[in-house]
Amino acid sequence: MPPPADIVKVAIEWPGAFPKLMEIDQKKPLSSIIKEVCDGWSLANHDQFALQHADSSNFYITEKAQNAQQLHERIQSSSMDAKLEALKDLANYSRDVTFAQEFINLDGISLLTQMVESGTERYQKLQKIMKPCFGDMLSFTLTAFVELMDHGIVSWDTFSVAFIKKIASYVNKFASDISILQRSLAILESMVLNSHDLYQKVAQEITIGQLIPHLQGTDQEIQTYTIAVINALFLKAPDDKRQEMANILAQKQLRSIILTHVIRAQRAINNEMAHQLYVLQVLTFNLLEDRMMTKMDPQDQAQRDIIFELRRIAFDAESEPNNSSGSIEKRKSMYTRDYKKLGFINHVNPAMDFTQTPPGMLALDNMLYFAKHHQDAYIRIVLENSSREDKHECPFGRSSIELTKMLCEILKVGELPSETCNDFHPMFFTHDRSFEEFFCICIQLLNKTWKEMRATSEDFNKVMQVVKEQIMRALTTKPSSLDQFKSKLQNLSYTEILKIRQSERMNQEDFQSRPILELKEKIQPEILELIKQQRLNRLVEGTCFRKLNSRRRQDKFWYCRLSPNHKVLHYGDLEESPQGEVPHDSLQDKLPVADIKAVVTGKDCPHMKEKGALKQNKEVLELAFSILYDSSGQLNFIAPDKHEYCVWTDGLNALLGKDMLSDLTRNDLDTLLSMEIKLRLLDLENIQIPDAPPPIPKEPSNYDFVYDCN
């Protein structure tokens, strides 16, 4: 007869004694179980002991851990060897939130900061003769500090200037010690992101010049943390300081250094580096927000002079009448005619065209840049359109304003960077004025597409839609340079866009006749069941989720998967991102499916309500979901991407007997229904369908025929 479900057999060991296999009643309080275990080995003071996982995590299963007190004493040992071993243990155990709480309650954070501020100086004399020991000791100290602070128990505002100075000094002093450098950069990043006061102090202690050399090395982890610190300083800088910081970054040639040593380095870019490059890209483009939201003042002569300059470059003002020849009315008439040729909506006072925000003055900036840096192309476009019939001319002024607004929407200028996105574009790191160059390429594309469509003024919005599609399709290929982007656009002519649209319509063809609709209705339950099984199978395989915090630390992961019988969710923390599936028995925690009360998403998630910074981020909200169980229990998720979000929310709803409502399910249903309909309508008379799939052909003797079409 099998034992009751609440009785489990657990192997427990104690140093110096034989391990025991004990039956534990899970209904009993944890303190009673620990007392029974201690009584078995005649150990007094059972309330000072804890159960600890024997796997690689070493996490505790209690709120009172004797080890916290012991480690607090051991790291103050006068023996260097004992102190080193204690700090090593502390760095490992600090990942456990229960242990961390106990150690912090013992004022452990203050002890570590004192060791960093003054304790390291105490061992300066030993550094020359015991350099490896000193380096390891400092590394373990900083690691423990980072892990303890990552739990969010202690405020960052409590640290002294002396501690900040010491951490900042390590960025230069220990440039060759990867471990110390990495943790020092991580601490600086967290200080900047979590405290306005600390941002100001860190900004005084660390300079861009000190950080740049770390980007020129070969260690991608150090490069990632370095860019993360730069991003943090950039993000938290006051509005009046951001442009100043951008100028410093330009002087230090940050863009070209990143392009050479990171993007074009002979190694793959990992997800965290991609995220930091994306953040830097967003923050750089956000510098344009001020101009984008600035209206033109029609009375400002300096701003009006920019429009005069556009006219002069286009029509060569040498023949322009001066103040002593010709009447004022004649000059006004000529200006009005030229402004019409330039494609402004308001021919009399084109300054009024730039009073709408966005794009505000940014559009005029782009037009002037194009006129000065691509003068031949600018003159050709203006003169070419001014010689056409009125109804077929592509209005350069109006097109530039609408195109600038579109490009700002595509690049999300003015929006905060997402916590989860890693969608950076290498081509924007190849030029100091990448946005302006981006505009110059796209305005020429717009003029080309206008001609291909034989458009008139009534077709303006249609042309803009086609141009946006051309730009978006070219961007999805992630061109490595602006020239490659331009080449991609050349291949996406209006004719090609029509072919692509037609092909997509054919693939999504939906027969609307009554017999077909009835057939669809009949086979839809089969397809939905197929999708449901696929979702549940994916939950059984499991997914690695990232633990998001203010620094997006790379080594914070947890894994969740469904048991094969679909009755229990197994989950637990991981030291690193796994390669393949994680076995059920290595996941410490479990949640019976029967205990799940509801699945909530987005802003209804408890962790979204708690974390204000995340709540403001639209993309994070779109990836967040929570499982609610018992009276107040919750299991919070932030999916790695939209696909995994849909898979998990669908799968969990299927487990609860609810409908699967995600976009992914709708797309899968449409695709599979379409395929099934087409298969059933095929003329298969006298065609023998094999029961088994055909064999896979042998590999060719060589692959010389393979080539890169790019």
Side-chain angles (χ1 to χ4, degrees):
M1 182 177 177
D6 294 317
I7 303 296
V8 294
K9 290 187 177 182
V10 179
I12 303 177
E13 58 184 3
W14 173 256
F18 288 107
K20 292 184 177 181
L21 183 65
M22 302 183 65
E23 287 191 350
I24 292 180
D25 186 350
Q26 298 182 76
K27 291 183 178 180
K28 287 186 177 181
L30 183 59
S31 58
S32 300
I33 296 173
I34 293 175
K35 184 177 186 305
E36 290 180 12
V37 174
C38 290
D39 291 344
W41 276 304
S42 302
L43 299 174
N45 300 322
H46 71 274
D47 57 332
Q48 296 298 315
F49 288 86
L51 294 177
Q52 181 187 32
H53 288 285
D55 60 13
S56 59
S57 69
N58 293 320
F59 288 171
Y60 289 94
I61 316 173
T62 183
E63 293 183 357
K64 292 187 177 181
Q66 188 183 35
N67 246 17
Q69 178 67 46
Q70 292 175 344
L71 275 176
H72 190 271
E73 296 171 358
R74 287 170 57 200
I75 61 175
Q76 301 179 72
S77 171
S78 58
S79 167
M80 294 291 288
D81 290 338
K83 181 188 288 286
L84 178 63
E85 192 64 30
L87 287 170
K88 182 179 179 181
D89 289 342
L90 179 63
N92 184 33
Y93 297 152
S94 294
R95 291 180 295 109
D96 178 18
V97 64
T98 306
F99 171 86
Q101 182 68 68
E102 282 299 309
F103 187 79
I104 289 171
N105 289 342
L106 296 170
D107 211 16
I109 291 288
S110 297
L111 178 59
L112 292 180
T113 55
Q114 290 171 13
M115 292 173 64
V116 171
E117 290 176 20
S118 58
T120 51
E121 295 176 359
R122 194 183 309 158
Y123 300 113
Q124 290 296 312
K125 296 179 181 178
L126 296 173
Q127 187 176 356
K128 293 182 180 179
I129 58 176
M130 301 181 65
K131 189 170 182 179
C133 179
F134 173 80
D136 290 343
M137 186 178 299
L138 182 56
S139 174
F140 291 138
T141 302
L142 296 178
T143 300
F145 177 84
V146 169
E147 296 290 353
L148 291 168
M149 291 302 298
D150 266 357
H151 294 297
I153 301 171
V154 179
S155 170
W156 283 92
D157 288 312
T158 58
F159 299 107
S160 67
V161 175
F163 179 73
I164 297 171
K165 287 179 178 288
K166 185 66 68 174
I167 297 298
S169 71
Y170 293 158
V171 172
N172 291 325
K173 189 181 297 183
F174 294 98
S176 60
D177 192 316
I178 301 299
S179 178
I180 294 176
L181 178 58
Q182 185 185 85
R183 284 150 183 78
S184 299
L185 290 169
I187 293 171
L188 290 176
E189 182 197 0
S190 288
M191 286 178 173
V192 172
L193 291 176
N194 289 285
S195 169
H196 177 69
D197 291 338
L198 289 187
Y199 155 75
Q200 295 178 322
K201 294 172 183 176
V202 171
Q204 293 172 356
E205 296 298 327
I206 201 78
T207 65
I208 301 300
Q210 292 172 310
L211 296 172
I212 291 294
H214 300 310
L215 292 173
Q216 296 171 315
T218 58
D219 189 288
Q220 190 171 119
E221 291 296 310
I222 295 300
Q223 292 175 324
T224 303
Y225 277 95
T226 302
I227 297 178
V229 173
I230 293 173
N231 285 339
L233 291 169
F234 212 150
L235 183 63
K236 293 299 180 179
D239 292 340
D240 58 334
K241 293 288 185 181
R242 285 185 186 173
Q243 187 60 56
E244 180 183 330
M245 184 176 176
N247 295 335
I248 295 173
L249 295 179
Q251 292 172 7
K252 298 294 183 181
Q253 298 183 324
L254 176 70
R255 178 197 58 76
S256 60
I257 289 171
I258 289 176
L259 182 66
T260 302
H261 297 279
V262 179
I263 296 176
R264 292 181 177 171
Q266 299 300 312
R267 62 173 181 269
I269 293 177
N270 61 38
N271 288 337
E272 187 64 21
M273 174 60 85
H275 172 75
Q276 295 300 339
L277 291 174
Y278 152 79
V279 172
L280 182 59
Q281 173 185 292
V282 171
L283 295 177
T284 302
F285 284 142
N286 280 355
L287 293 172
L288 303 170
E289 183 181 12
D290 183 55
R291 294 294 283 174
M292 181 182 75
M293 300 307 295
T294 299
K295 296 181 179 180
M296 185 172 185
D297 181 1
Q299 305 305 318
D300 189 316
Q301 187 59 44
Q303 295 179 3
R304 290 165 63 97
D305 286 344
I306 298 177
I307 298 177
F308 293 151
E309 182 68 4
L310 290 173
R311 178 191 169 278
R312 185 196 66 77
I313 295 174
F315 303 114
D316 190 4
E318 291 181 3
S319 60
E320 179 183 321
N322 54 38
N323 292 334
S324 61
S325 62
S327 66
I328 295 176
E329 290 300 323
K330 185 176 180 181
R331 287 200 302 273
K332 284 185 177 180
S333 175
M334 183 177 65
Y335 287 165
T336 300
R337 181 197 66 202
D338 290 346
Y339 291 148
K340 182 178 180 181
K341 291 180 179 179
L342 279 170
F344 290 113
I345 297 174
N346 192 318
H347 306 153
V348 177
N349 186 7
M352 299 304 296
D353 287 13
F354 300 96
T355 56
Q356 180 185 359
T357 58
M361 287 295 292
L362 184 60
L364 188 58
D365 294 342
N366 283 340
M367 294 168 70
L368 183 63
Y369 182 91
F370 181 49
K372 286 189 171 182
H373 293 83
H374 300 270
Q375 193 170 108
D376 291 343
Y378 167 70
I379 294 173
R380 185 183 70 251
I381 288 177
V382 173
L383 297 184
E384 190 178 87
N385 284 288
S386 64
S387 63
R388 294 180 190 167
E389 297 179 32
D390 283 352
K391 66 176 184 178
H392 285 291
E393 67 177 4
C394 177
F396 173 74
R398 181 186 177 191
S399 298
S400 297
I401 293 169
E402 291 302 318
L403 179 63
T404 300
K405 183 178 179 181
M406 179 200 294
L407 298 184
C408 289
E409 291 173 354
I410 291 173
L411 298 177
K412 300 181 179 179
V413 175
E415 294 186 20
L416 287 175
S418 164
E419 292 282 352
T420 58
C421 184
N422 55 11
D423 186 27
F424 83 99
H425 294 277
M427 72 177 192
F428 292 130
F429 290 85
T430 62
H431 201 285
D432 289 327
R433 304 288 295 274
S434 59
F435 184 81
E436 289 87 345
E437 289 293 323
F438 186 41
F439 168 84
C440 292
I441 293 172
C442 293
I443 192 65
Q444 294 177 74
L445 168 71
L446 193 155
N447 188 65
K448 172 175 171 285
T449 302
W450 185 282
K451 290 188 291 185
E452 291 173 347
M453 294 178 66
R454 295 181 176 84
T456 63
S457 56
E458 289 81 10
D459 300 319
F460 186 87
N461 291 334
K462 292 181 181 178
V463 175
M464 295 303 296
Q465 290 172 5
V466 173
V467 169
K468 183 174 184 178
E469 184 174 349
Q470 291 170 313
I471 294 170
M472 295 298 292
R473 289 185 183 276
L475 285 176
T476 55
T477 65
K478 292 294 180 73
S480 59
S481 67
L482 290 164
D483 285 339
Q484 193 177 92
F485 173 69
K486 191 173 183 179
S487 177
K488 298 285 185 184
L489 290 176
Q490 291 293 334
N491 296 327
L492 285 169
S493 64
Y494 176 58
T495 303
E496 184 63 25
I497 291 294
L498 289 179
K499 290 180 181 178
I500 293 172
R501 287 179 174 179
Q502 184 178 6
S503 175
E504 290 177 348
R505 277 197 298 268
M506 289 178 65
N507 291 334
Q508 298 171 0
E509 191 176 38
D510 187 11
F511 302 107
Q512 297 299 320
S513 63
R514 183 176 176 182
I516 298 298
L517 292 176
E518 290 178 354
L519 180 58
K520 272 189 170 186
E521 188 177 343
K522 180 179 179 181
I523 63 178
Q524 182 167 317
E526 301 174 29
I527 303 297
L528 283 172
E529 182 62 28
L530 184 65
I531 294 173
K532 174 183 174 182
Q533 291 305 317
Q534 187 273 338
R535 300 291 192 266
L536 294 177
N537 289 340
R538 279 288 293 109
L539 265 61
V540 171
E541 293 175 11
T543 299
C544 179
F545 297 92
R546 184 188 297 274
K547 284 190 170 183
L548 282 183
N549 59 22
S550 60
R551 289 190 301 107
R552 275 183 53 103
R553 296 254 341 275
Q554 264 191 303
D555 52 343
K556 294 293 183 180
F557 299 97
W558 69 289
Y559 200 88
C560 186
R561 63 180 300 183
L562 181 66
S563 62
N565 63 5
H566 301 172
K567 292 186 177 181
V568 178
L569 283 172
H570 298 265
Y571 61 96
D573 293 330
L574 300 177
E575 292 187 21
E576 57 185 5
S577 182
Q579 302 298 322
E581 294 183 16
V582 176
H584 293 93
D585 53 9
S586 66
L587 300 174
Q588 305 93 359
D589 302 299
K590 60 183 180 180
L591 171 63
V593 172
D595 291 349
I596 298 177
K597 305 299 182 185
V599 176
V600 295
T601 61
K603 63 182 180 181
D604 295 325
C605 297
H607 57 319
M608 291 294 99
K609 295 177 181 178
E610 294 170 3
K611 299 184 179 180
L614 290 180
K615 187 177 179 181
Q616 296 173 1
N617 194 306
K618 181 180 177 182
E619 293 190 41
V620 172
L621 283 174
E622 291 177 350
L623 299 176
F625 61 98
S626 297
I627 295 175
L628 307 182
Y629 60 93
D630 296 337
S631 57
S632 60
Q634 61 192 47
L635 191 59
N636 301 317
F637 300 75
I638 295 180
D641 51 51
K642 190 66 176 178
H643 182 272
E644 287 296 315
Y645 169 86
C646 293
V647 166
W648 273 85
T649 52
D650 282 343
L652 292 171
N653 281 323
L655 285 173
L656 299 178
K658 298 181 179 180
D659 293 336
M660 299 179 292
L661 303 174
S662 74
D663 293 339
L664 182 62
T665 292
R666 285 195 292 271
N667 292 337
D668 287 350
L669 180 61
D670 290 342
T671 301
L672 293 173
L673 270 176
S674 177
M675 290 175 60
E676 187 67 19
I677 291 290
K678 290 176 182 178
L679 285 172
R680 296 197 181 197
L681 294 178
L682 283 176
D683 184 5
L684 299 180
E685 187 177 354
N686 299 323
I687 297 178
Q688 185 66 34
I689 300 178
D691 295 329
I696 299 174
K698 293 182 179 180
E699 291 189 12
S701 58
N702 62 66
Y703 289 88
D704 294 342
F705 57 88
V706 177
Y707 65 96
D708 186 355
C709 60
N710 294 323

